[in-house]
Amino acid sequence: MHITAETALCGIALHPAGHTRSPAMHNAAYAALSIDAVYLAFDVRPAELADAVAGMRGLGIRQLSVSLPHKEAILAHLDEVDETARRIGAVNTVLRRGDALVGTNTDWLGAVGALERETRLEDRQAIVLGAGGTARAVVYGLRARGARVHVLNRTPEKARALADDLGAEGAGGLEELADRPYDVLVNTTSVGLGSDASPVDPDHLGRGGVVLDAVYEPERTRLLRDAEARGARVVSGRWMLVYQAVAQLEAWTGQTAPVEVMAKAFG
Ligand SMILES: NC(=O)c1ccc[n+]([C@@H]2O[C@H](COP(=O)([O-])OP(=O)(O)OC[C@H]3O[C@@H](n4cnc5c(N)ncnc54)[C@H](OP(=O)(O)O)[C@@H]3O)[C@@H](O)[C@H]2O)c1
C-alpha cells in the first residue's frame, strides 16, 4: 500500500471494534481495483457518536460504514437520509455528496445478493424468521425484489407490526413454519449465534428450497445443516456481510466490486 497526500480515508464506526472483517474486505477491493484509499476500523462509543460524525466532516472521510450499536442512532446526526434507509430505519453507510453527509442502507442488498447466488426472488414465497433490525432489512429486500413474504417471530405481535410496516403478506409465531410452504427461508433471529441451537424444530422445515441464515458464526449453523439434510440449498450469513460491503463499495466508487476478492478477504 502506497499512501500519499491524495489517499482517501474510509472506515467503519462500531463498538466494540475488534472482530470486524470490513477493513480486510474493503482494503482488498481497493488493491484489486487500484483505488487510492485506505479503510480503518474506528471504535466509537455510543456517547461519542456525534463527535465521530463531526470528525468525518472535519477530516474529510469519504465513506463511513456504520455497524452496531450505531445504525439507528446515527440518523439524527446526518444531513440527509435516503428513502431506503428511512424505510428500514437504519443506516449502515454514510457518503459525502458535496458538503452533505448522506446516510443509506446496503444491508438489504447483502441479503438479496446472498440469496440470488442460489435463486431468483420475484414471485417466490419467502418466510423470514425474526422481527428485529436484521429482519427489517431482509423483508425490505425481499419485497423490493418482488417476493411474497411471511414473517414469523417468537413474539408474533412484533412480526405483525413489521409485516404491516413493510408490506409483507402475513405474520405469526415461529411454530407456524410447520404449516407454511416456502421457496426461500431466512433466519434473522439470533438463535444459533455462537451455539448449536436452531430457531425452529427441524421437522417443521420444508423439503428443498433455499435457506439463508443471517447468523454467520458458526458458518454452518444447526439450521443450515438441518435444511441441507432436507434437500435445501443453503447460504451462509457470511455472504450477507460480503454483499453489503460490495454494495457499499459500489455506492462510493461507482465501480463494479470484486466479489470473490472480498469474499476471500473475509476469510
Ligand atoms: N450476516 C449478516 O450480514 C448479519 C447482519 C446483521 C445481523 N446479523 C445477525 O442477525 C441476528 C439478529 O440480529 P438483529 O440485530 O436483528 O437482532 P435483534 O434486533 O435483537 O432481533 C433479535 C431477533 O431474534 C429473536 N430471538 C432472540 N432470542 C430468541 C430465542 N431464544 N428464540 C427465538 N427467537 C429469539 C428475537 O425475537 P423477539 O422479538 O421475540 O425477542 C428477534 O426477532 C444476529 O445473530 C446477528 O449476528 C447478521
Side-chain angles (χ1 to χ4, degrees), residues 64-236:
L64 186 70
S65 307
V66 184
S67 190
L68 297 178
H70 305 306
K71 286 185 176 189
E72 291 163 21
I74 200 162
L75 268 79
H77 301 290
L78 301 174
D79 302 310
E80 289 172 38
V81 174
D82 76 7
E83 177 63 17
T84 301
R86 275 199 193 286
R87 293 281 287 140
I88 294 172
V91 161
N92 82 328
T93 307
V94 183
L95 298 166
R96 304 179 78 87
R97 295 261 157 74
D99 286 337
L101 296 184
V102 181
T104 186
N105 189 304
T106 68
D107 284 331
W108 69 281
L109 287 165
V112 162
L115 287 166
E116 286 179 343
R117 291 180 70 81
E118 295 292 346
T119 181
R120 71 178 178 84
L121 295 169
E122 194 177 359
D123 293 330
R124 296 293 152 116
Q125 180 63 58
I127 293 184
V128 174
L129 307 175
T134 307
R136 286 192 70 83
V138 171
V139 171
Y140 178 90
L142 288 165
R143 294 285 300 121
R145 285 291 190 269
R148 298 186 301 280
V149 184
H150 213 89
V151 185
L152 304 180
N153 191 43
R154 175 176 65 177
T155 312
E157 299 75 36
K158 286 195 203 165
R160 276 184 212 110
L162 190 156
D164 286 349
D165 192 27
L166 292 178
E169 288 191 314
L174 290 174
E175 65 291 345
E176 286 184 34
L177 182 65
D179 310 314
R180 293 212 158 269
Y182 58 82
D183 305 303
V184 171
L185 177 71
V186 184
N187 174 44
T188 72
T189 76
S190 46
V191 180
L193 181 63
S195 80
D196 201 33
S198 170
V200 291
D201 183 331
D203 293 336
H204 292 180
L205 291 168
R207 290 249 146 231
V210 172
V211 177
L212 166 66
D213 199 337
V215 171
Y216 56 90
E217 202 63 67
E219 186 172 4
R220 278 174 55 76
T221 59
R222 164 69 65 106
L223 173 67
L224 293 185
R225 297 197 320 272
D226 287 345
E228 212 164 32
R230 282 158 186 77
R233 282 169 289 148
V234 300
V235 187
S236 160

Side-chain angles (χ1 to χ4, degrees), residues 20-29 39 261-262 265-266:
T20 177
R21 268 100 154 210
S22 291
M25 285 193 284
H26 286 272
N27 286 316
Y39 185 109
V261 167
M262 294 174 79
F266 185 96

